[in-house]
Amino acid sequence: MRRPSRASVFSGLAVVAGLFALAVWLQTLRDGRYALETSDEETLYLSQRATGRVIFTQRPLASDLYWIRAIQYYGSRTKDAKERFDDALDPPPALAEKAPVTFDLLYPLLDITTTLDPRFNIAYRFGAIFLSETYPHGPGRPDQAVALLEKGLAVMPDKWQYWQDIGFVYYWNVHDYAKAADAFKRGAAITGAPWWMQSLAASTLARGGDRSASRLLWQQMYDSANNDYARNAARTKLQQLDAIEIIERLQQVVDEIVRRTGGQVTDWRPLIRAGTIRGIPLDPAGVPYELSSSSRVQLSSHSPLFPLPIEPGSRSGA
């Protein structure tokens, strides 16, 4: 048989590339015109197509497509949720009655992605971050985040990073410090795990809920991150801890002014004129702090750090 000429091979590749570009364009057009619905019917369709008999023969390719769909879904839902959340703070009449945005398809999409490609490391780790984020930044489902990571461990038991992620979920989202310490300890026992995993286990068990322990955890996450998303997520948590501490210091100043004058402080200008502060204080993201009608220092709802995490127990918790 004659070997195909180089020109015919290039022509074939050009046709494939053209078809792929057309498919991408059609998908983009479809996404722009038709919103992704959160119906039980679609969830059933996805599950049947992904785990049943009529899915693509190239499972890694199908997994990539579902992963892209999961990212699109998460991005669109968080955008809508943040807008709805802002509306709830100062509701316009037309939007005041709208229900919170749901993330019902997020876990099914991630589950299908990792079923098609059980070794899809990014889908497990990023997917867990998506699931565990509190509303409006995510669905606030740490249980699903842990379930996804445990699914990954069942396939790749040598991934100490999954135990690290589970520990973070229990520490930051659930505030279950015993389970967090156990997760760090189990990860530390895996060959190749860094030495500081054992330190995290000991620190979490001894000082669970202490803000300095939280800072240690997120600093380790930041230092060990091997991608921009994880690094940025850790940086945001560290900035939120900084914001909480700045608020506490500012509140002490405001409380002292209230005590001396007997009136409420609802504007920064009197404090600036008195020389108590040099200027309008900014949070770590560069957005001005606000003063409520009851003289409480608070983070602006327009800050990318908003809302701040709820600190458990004592004032020093995080």
Side-chain angles (χ1 to χ4, degrees), residues 51-306:
T51 59
R53 297 159 293 282
V54 287
I55 192 60
F56 310 99
T57 56
Q58 294 296 325
R59 292 171 70 88
L61 173 60
S63 180
D64 288 342
L65 292 175
Y66 276 104
W67 172 238
I68 292 171
R69 199 62 174 144
I71 294 174
Q72 291 175 332
Y73 178 81
Y74 174 74
S76 66
R77 285 302 187 272
T78 52
K79 179 177 180 294
D80 293 344
K82 289 175 184 176
E83 291 176 355
R84 193 74 54 82
F85 192 83
D86 289 341
D87 292 337
L89 296 176
D90 185 18
L95 298 174
E97 300 301 322
K98 286 192 175 182
V101 174
T102 63
F103 292 77
D104 294 343
L105 284 186
L106 183 56
Y107 184 81
L109 284 166
L110 294 168
D111 186 45
I112 291 166
T113 299
T114 52
T115 296
L116 288 166
D117 185 355
R119 304 187 72 82
F120 202 152
N121 181 54
I122 292 177
Y124 289 117
R125 301 199 72 189
F126 282 12
I129 294 175
F130 296 163
L131 290 164
S132 62
E133 286 285 1
T134 54
Y135 192 85
H137 302 292
R141 292 298 303 270
D143 57 324
Q144 292 182 345
V146 171
L148 185 66
L149 291 165
E150 288 178 340
K151 180 182 179 182
L153 280 167
V155 179
M156 295 173 282
D158 59 334
K159 282 284 186 180
W160 60 265
Q161 295 91 340
Y162 294 170
W163 283 117
Q164 178 192 17
D165 294 344
I166 289 173
F168 272 95
V169 171
Y170 278 126
Y171 188 99
W172 192 255
N173 301 104
V174 185
H175 307 304
D176 189 329
Y177 307 116
K179 285 186 178 181
D182 181 66
F184 293 138
K185 185 176 180 180
R186 295 179 71 172
I190 295 175
T191 301
W195 63 267
W196 47 260
M197 280 286 285
Q198 190 65 49
S199 297
L200 288 184
S203 177
T204 300
L205 197 58
R207 297 185 291 137
D210 183 83
R211 191 179 296 159
S212 61
S214 295
R215 189 176 295 280
L216 172 64
L217 263 63
W218 287 114
Q219 189 63 53
Q220 292 289 3
M221 179 76 160
Y222 180 85
D223 293 339
S224 64
N226 57 6
N227 57 75
D228 289 340
Y229 190 91
R231 189 175 296 107
N232 290 336
R235 181 189 294 113
T236 296
K237 300 301 184 184
L238 288 168
Q239 288 179 329
Q240 286 182 322
L241 292 174
D242 291 339
I244 292 171
E245 292 178 353
I246 294 171
I247 287 174
E248 289 179 349
R249 292 197 297 270
L250 288 171
Q251 192 63 58
Q252 291 176 354
V253 174
V254 172
D255 289 345
E256 177 60 22
I257 298 295
V258 170
R259 186 188 66 79
R260 290 206 320 249
T261 64
Q264 299 295 337
V265 178
T266 59
D267 193 298
W268 293 114
R269 285 174 295 184
L271 281 73
I272 297 172
R273 287 196 297 266
T276 306
I277 57 176
R278 295 183 178 180
I280 296 177
L282 306 179
D283 70 27
V287 180
Y289 285 105
E290 297 177 350
L291 280 164
S292 72
S293 58
S294 58
S295 302
R296 304 306 300 173
V297 182
Q298 57 192 24
L299 191 72
S300 169
S301 62
H302 300 294
S303 173
L305 306 179
F306 183 87

